[in-house]
Amino acid sequence: MNADSRRLAGRVALATGASRGIGPAIARRPVAEGARVGLAARHPEALAEAVDALGGPAYAETVAGRADEGSHRRSA
């Protein structure tokens, strides 16, 4: 493990559009560098898969829904 591998420890990153495509790929870097990641997207099932791929809830949390929905705003 090099010095940069934990440079984001104690920090939180947010990845939007994180249920598919480039979103989950982008989320991997901050997790690898020690951050927890908030994943936001409209597809809760795909978000759950992304959390599992990142190592589980110890590394990532999700906010599913559309930004213009009240429940989405409250959970963020």
Side-chain angles (χ1 to χ4, degrees), residues 24-35:
I26 289 171
R28 281 195 294 266
R29 174 51 82 75
V31 168
E33 294 184 10

Side-chain angles (χ1 to χ4, degrees), residues 1-13 28-37 58-59:
M1 184 181 296
N2 65 35
D4 288 335
S5 67
R6 301 299 297 164
R7 71 184 184 108
L8 298 178
R11 299 199 177 189
V12 176
R28 281 195 294 266
R29 174 51 82 75
V31 168
E33 294 184 10
R36 287 190 46 133
V37 179
Y59 300 97

Side-chain angles (χ1 to χ4, degrees), residues 10-76:
R11 299 199 177 189
V12 176
L14 177 63
T16 61
S19 62
R20 56 179 67 140
I22 196 168
I26 289 171
R28 281 195 294 266
R29 174 51 82 75
V31 168
E33 294 184 10
R36 287 190 46 133
V37 179
L39 305 175
R42 293 177 291 167
H43 307 285
E45 298 84 12
L47 278 174
E49 291 173 14
V51 168
D52 289 342
L54 290 169
Y59 300 97
E61 293 290 330
T62 64
V63 178
R66 294 172 41 117
D68 59 353
E69 294 173 346
S71 61
H72 183 81
R73 289 185 196 156
R74 284 188 296 278
S75 62

